[in-house]
Amino acid sequence: MKYLEKHPMPVIVVGIIGISLSAIFVRYSSAPSAVTAAWRLLWSVVMMTPLVLGSGQIRRELARADKKAAALSGCSGVFLAAHFILWFDALHKTSVASAATLVCTEVIWVSLGFCLFLKGRISKKAAGAIAVTLLGSVLIALADSGEGEGHLEGDILAVLAAVCSAVYMLFGRSAQKKLSTTVYTYLVYGSCALVLVVICLIQGNGLLASGMNPVVVGAALALFSTILGHTIFSWALKFYSPSFVSACKLLEPVGAGILAVFLFGEIPAPVALLGAVLILAGVWYYSRIEKKA
């Protein structure tokens, strides 16, 4: 574990792969977005519970958790729930590449929030690297602009999902100052699952109304995209700034786009490939800047 704390980048790579699978799994769900998201978070809580209850140290920390930090974790969970619903809806209305790319604009909102509310600073070089990654994201979105009537709506939903994700990450940055990653994550996923179940009940959507499809999809999302995806990025916030963590997540549309080519026949145009190169270059340059800092 100490080795990973000194060399966190390999762990972040695993996280990138995990979140890249998210859009693919969601596409295979036949249930409403809130139901799929609810099963994802319920499974995430189930998978984490043995770890939490099996450790006396974690149980004690959970029982004595700082009230303010716990409240921030709860707020983080609310925005994470909103992010999932909005993004899952976007994936059913626009292409995988567009949805995965536009949701990555969260780096804009994270950087803005980091500077305004957490008194952080972004250097000119770092801002330039972020701009390059965003330019690449825009190119991918333009190249994959579908002609379906719900495409624009899907794009808007993806941007709103990005805003919610940014707020979730900023709350997490503050909460983890007094909580370990495990306790913080458990509180966030628990509150998020609760919010999603309540939303399903309000919408009149039973968790088993669509059969076992969302249950299986939710389990895959929980294991690969939540535990090996979002949890890793929450852990990475202890070592890198929110802006850098969000910049790394910009690699998600590249991975998701490659998978979409083979699974859904969504072949990217040359402009999309150029966008992918710009994203990789921007993230690599940003990581170099962050490492020197």
Side-chain angles (χ1 to χ4, degrees):
M1 191 66 182
K2 291 184 178 180
Y3 174 83
L4 295 179
E5 291 179 355
K6 293 181 179 179
H7 305 86
M9 279 308 296
V11 183
I12 292 179
V13 172
V14 174
I16 292 170
I17 296 173
I19 61 175
S20 296
L21 291 169
S22 179
I24 305 302
F25 291 142
V26 172
R27 275 290 190 89
Y28 285 110
S29 176
S30 59
S33 296
V35 174
T36 304
W39 275 113
R40 172 178 182 166
L41 270 298
L42 287 171
W43 275 116
S44 298
V45 172
V46 168
M47 291 177 185
M48 286 194 68
T49 296
L51 172 63
V52 173
L53 298 183
S55 171
Q57 180 180 352
I58 296 177
R59 290 200 308 272
R60 287 190 293 271
E61 183 187 351
L62 186 61
R64 302 170 185 173
D66 180 81
K67 292 182 179 179
K68 182 179 179 180
L72 287 172
S73 299
C75 292
S76 184
V78 172
F79 281 95
L80 182 60
H83 160 76
F84 282 137
I85 293 176
L86 290 168
W87 192 50
F88 286 9
D89 278 344
L91 283 166
H92 290 297
K93 295 178 182 295
T94 188
S95 68
V96 167
S98 290
T101 299
L102 291 173
V103 81
C104 285
T105 59
E106 73 172 74
V107 68
I108 296 175
W109 311 107
V110 169
S111 298
L112 180 61
F114 187 47
C115 293
L116 293 179
F117 302 112
L118 299 182
K119 299 180 180 180
R121 293 183 178 181
I122 304 297
S123 68
K124 292 183 179 179
K125 290 183 178 180
I130 292 175
V132 170
T133 59
L134 290 176
L135 175 60
S137 297
V138 170
L139 289 177
I140 291 178
L142 290 175
D144 192 48
S145 57
E147 299 181 355
E149 61 181 50
H151 179 79
L152 179 59
E153 181 183 353
D155 289 348
I156 294 174
L157 290 172
V159 172
L160 292 176
V163 174
C164 289
S165 181
V167 177
Y168 148 71
M169 289 193 68
L170 289 171
F171 272 123
R173 176 75 169 187
S174 298
Q176 287 195 89
K177 291 180 179 179
K178 295 186 177 181
L179 297 174
S180 66
T181 299
T182 301
V183 171
Y184 161 73
T185 303
Y186 195 66
L187 291 174
V188 170
Y189 292 170
S191 61
C192 183
L194 179 61
V195 170
L196 289 168
V197 170
V198 171
I199 290 175
C200 288
L201 294 176
I202 293 174
Q203 293 179 339
N205 296 320
L207 293 179
L208 295 174
S210 300
M212 293 300 295
N213 173 271
V215 180
V216 175
V217 171
L221 285 166
L223 177 59
F224 294 99
S225 304
T226 300
I227 302 300
L228 297 178
H230 285 279
T231 301
I232 284 177
F233 286 113
S234 295
W235 173 80
L237 287 171
K238 286 184 174 289
F239 306 97
Y240 297 104
S241 71
S243 297
F244 174 69
V245 173
S246 293
C248 284
K249 292 170 70 175
L250 284 171
L251 289 171
E252 177 184 356
V254 178
I258 292 173
L259 291 172
V261 170
F262 296 100
L263 297 174
F264 310 125
E266 295 180 359
I267 301 175
V271 175
L273 294 177
L274 173 60
V277 172
L278 289 176
I279 290 175
L280 290 171
V283 172
W284 177 82
Y285 185 54
Y286 195 111
S287 66
R288 296 282 295 181
I289 295 172
E290 186 75 9
K291 185 175 181 181
K292 290 180 180 180

